[in-house]
Amino acid sequence: MWLLDRFLARAITHGHMIVTDYDGKTYEYGLADSAQPPLRIRLTNKKAANHIARYPQVGAGEAFMWGWLEIEDPHDIRDLILFVTANTKRIGDSAINAQSPLRKAVQKLAAKADSINLRSKARRNAEHTYNLTRRLYELFLDEDRQYTMAYYRDADPAQTSLEQAQRDKKAHLAAKLFIQPGQRILDIGCGWGGLALYFARHYDVEVLGVALAPDQIEFCRERADEAGVADKVKFELMDYRDVTGSFDRISSVGLLEHVGTPHYPQFYEHTARLLTPRGVMLSHCCGRAGPPGHTDAWTRKYIFPGGYIPALSELVTQSEKFGWQVMDVEAMRFHYSYTLEEWYKRTVMHREEIEQLYDPQFYRMWLYYLAGAEQSFRHGGMVNWQLLYVKDREAIPMTREYMEAEEARLRAAEDPPVWHLDPAIREAAE
């Protein structure tokens, strides 16, 4: 416990935390506040403190998953993660994850190796992440199953439902693409088909959506059939590297995080080959506001194997090599933290059903993932990048005013889609 105690004594300066070790001994950090109850943590296994202190990002997550770390009411794991990271923000990540130079080097090399996503590995990684039970995603996502950042236009996110924020995200993306009637659109990493169907609903276009998770593609096809647009919106189970043909617009939302930095040249080269000379490509991805880094071991192991969140410099320098010109860059700050907060609340709302679908350990793992991701976008250095690429600068209007006008038109025209939203979620959203 001495190593964990040393770290917490240095890190916790705001708020009040009480940790009870497995032997019953208590440790207090920060200053008591009569207006706020202390955050009380209990370690139930004699290995817990050492497991957490050796490598906090992996150890803390596993300790919580395994039931070695418990948070007493009225707080939960989200409160703990946000509390600790808000405190440690001032001392930096290097202090949080203090390791020997050798261990740091090993972790970096492991992350690099994990980012090599050949076709067979890419499909396994996609299935690991997205081929979970359909019902799980119905329980915590919005009615359109948008598993990427929502767009909160109001300064107070509590005034906007997740459903509305996701509709606004689709309008924001579509407006940037400057879509024209009769065009062909490629949606790489199409998820559950919401954006591809949105394009079809608002424009006279043909869309091809591709992804690597079989259940996603099956669901997309069901939705296209139900909407009566299966002749114009097609979904294929394939690697984007196997797509052929010519497209006027390309969208990739939440894809580049799974491509892997060694494959960025291949991504930009192949998409440039697919896009018409006056075409436009929009990429939306999680990103680092600072320099390149590497994905933490817990996330690679349990949530996104092969995943990596890129720095802007990595995206721009690689795209330039293949004839792309970056015409617009937007850093989306804090939007994902609000999105993840809502996903977390909906997950907690359906704890019993999720534990029946899987087990209590999976439920705790999912909570830790959502809360940990939220803190990265709230207190850490993560943002969302939206980059607009062209091969010819005349492909889009000269000013951004076209985006604003089209986005307003789309928002005014968009009726909430009638899908199969869980009644409990609908009531909470209202």
Side-chain angles (χ1 to χ4, degrees), residues 25-87:
K25 186 176 180 180
T26 60
Y27 302 79
E28 296 197 35
Y29 308 96
L31 299 174
D33 182 353
S34 59
Q36 296 289 337
L39 202 157
R40 295 181 178 272
I41 310 303
R42 182 174 297 276
L43 303 180
T44 62
N45 188 292
K46 65 180 180 179
K47 298 178 181 179
N50 185 54
H51 192 65
I52 295 169
R54 280 191 304 111
Y55 188 46
Q57 286 185 337
V58 172
E62 291 183 333
F64 178 69
M65 287 168 54
W66 300 338
W68 292 6
L69 184 155
E70 297 178 351
I71 301 95
E72 298 183 7
D73 290 337
H75 296 104
D76 61 10
I77 187 62
R78 177 175 177 267
D79 295 322
L80 173 61
I81 291 174
L82 294 179
F83 175 85
V84 172
T85 54
N87 271 275

Side-chain angles (χ1 to χ4, degrees), residues 133-150:
T133 307
R134 280 191 189 186
R135 182 61 179 156
L136 171 68
Y137 293 102
E138 291 174 356
L139 293 175
F140 77 93
L141 295 180
D142 67 297
E143 58 206 305
D144 198 36
R145 293 200 191 187
Q146 292 291 305
Y147 194 24
T148 54
M149 178 209 86

Side-chain angles (χ1 to χ4, degrees), residues 257-295:
E257 301 93 319
H258 302 288
V259 167
T261 50
H263 302 282
Y264 286 172
Q266 190 176 21
F267 172 81
Y268 286 111
E269 181 180 28
H270 189 60
T271 50
R273 186 182 305 119
L274 294 173
L275 196 71
T276 58
R278 295 287 291 271
V280 181
M281 179 169 77
L282 175 66
S283 175
H284 166 113
C285 68
C286 299
R288 299 172 189 271
H294 64 273
T295 306

Side-chain angles (χ1 to χ4, degrees), residues 162-176:
L162 178 64
E163 280 66 35
Q164 182 61 55
Q166 290 291 14
R167 289 195 293 271
D168 289 343
K169 185 268 298 292
K170 287 175 283 188
H172 197 62
L173 292 169
K176 289 185 175 186

